[in-house]
Amino acid sequence: GLSSRSNSNNNICNNPNACHLFGTKIIGNVTFLIDNSGSMGYRSRRFRIQGKIPIEAVKDQLIKSIANLRGVKFQVIAFGTNDIEMWDKPRLATSENRSKAIKWVSELTAYQLSTNPSSSIKKAIEDLDADQIIVLSDGIPSNLTPYCDSRNSYHSIDGCMTEYNEEQRKDTKVGTARIDTISLAINNGSFQTCNHWINSINWMGRLASANGGKCSVI
């Protein structure tokens, strides 16, 4: 399982204090899933994160994390209407790959029309190199009940992805992936998706708690 593959934070970071995304620590091979729907780029009607519009603040943190990674594989997928993958599969955090990744992240913009995280989460789960998946989003998925292959049915996004994690990985040597989630609070911080009383809105809280991770609000 995960614990046998994870390194201590000191072994995977040049600077352990920089090896996190808004406080969510990187613990091993990691795939970052970053929402780049248009709302992440609004310059008005939104609070700012560290004085910046959301996508720019996220890029800053992501670049710091990537710059300090070592000895692990990593990937970034931007999601919205479609998935935009940095690489076809995770790569080792060599100096060259870190530089390429930083350039790629620095050019990300928030423009996609909808928020569909399901396919990017599936891609990350299918990659058995990923010990940890970190999902960052500022909203509610456009499709709250994605199609789940196994049951021929539609149900909640957290239920669907949790089931997928179990089915794809439970019987492999690596075991299930840990899924951590980061919710950007909107409406001046009053609305977020880590602990909302409506289950469908609480999708990030449910996704993390069912897959060994934690949900944080920024």
Side-chain angles (χ1 to χ4, degrees), residues 11-136:
N11 293 337
I12 65 171
C13 294
N14 290 321
N15 174 3
N17 294 326
C19 233
H20 63 86
L21 193 63
F22 295 107
T24 296
K25 280 190 176 178
I26 297 161
I27 58 167
N29 296 337
V30 61
T31 296
F32 300 98
L33 306 181
I34 304 299
D35 185 341
N36 76 326
S37 60
S39 58
M40 292 283 290
Y42 286 161
R43 293 173 185 278
S44 60
R45 296 191 292 116
R46 289 217 40 146
F47 82 117
R48 299 201 165 202
I49 303 169
Q50 296 161 357
K52 300 183 178 178
I53 60 172
I55 192 67
E56 294 301 325
V58 171
K59 284 161 60 173
D60 284 354
Q61 282 263 318
L62 196 50
I63 285 168
K64 281 180 191 169
S65 297
I66 289 170
N68 281 283
L69 286 178
R70 66 181 191 210
V72 290
K73 290 182 178 178
F74 72 111
Q75 165 74 304
V76 182
I77 305 175
F79 66 86
T81 310
N82 302 300
D83 298 335
I84 307 164
E85 296 175 71
M86 184 167 69
W87 293 315
D88 57 344
K89 60 182 181 181
R91 294 188 186 176
L92 196 62
T94 61
S95 175
E96 182 183 7
N97 285 339
R98 287 196 301 268
S99 295
K100 286 179 179 175
I102 287 167
K103 182 177 188 299
W104 190 90
V105 169
S106 71
E107 293 170 357
L108 269 181
T109 57
Y111 67 92
Q112 298 209 55
L113 296 178
S114 56
T115 304
N116 295 317
S118 299
S119 62
S120 65
I121 300 171
K122 278 189 173 184
K123 283 172 186 165
I125 287 170
E126 281 173 346
D127 177 4
L128 297 183
D129 278 331
D131 296 313
Q132 180 183 25
I133 299 165
I134 299 177
V135 186
L136 184 146

Side-chain angles (χ1 to χ4, degrees), residues 159-217:
C160 194
M161 294 300 111
T162 299
E163 178 184 278
Y164 198 73
N165 196 11
E166 291 279 320
E167 291 187 353
Q168 293 296 311
R169 301 188 51 146
K170 192 171 186 180
D171 296 329
T172 64
K173 285 182 182 177
V174 296
T176 54
R178 172 184 171 124
I179 304 179
D180 290 295
T181 55
I182 301 170
S183 171
L184 277 63
I186 57 177
N187 295 341
N188 294 319
S190 64
F191 182 92
Q192 43 78 19
T193 58
C194 276
N195 35 50
H196 196 281
W197 61 276
I198 299 174
N199 279 343
S200 56
I201 295 175
N202 190 36
W203 72 279
M204 287 190 120
R206 289 161 60 92
L207 181 64
S209 63
N211 293 280
K214 68 166 185 167
C215 189
S216 306
V217 180

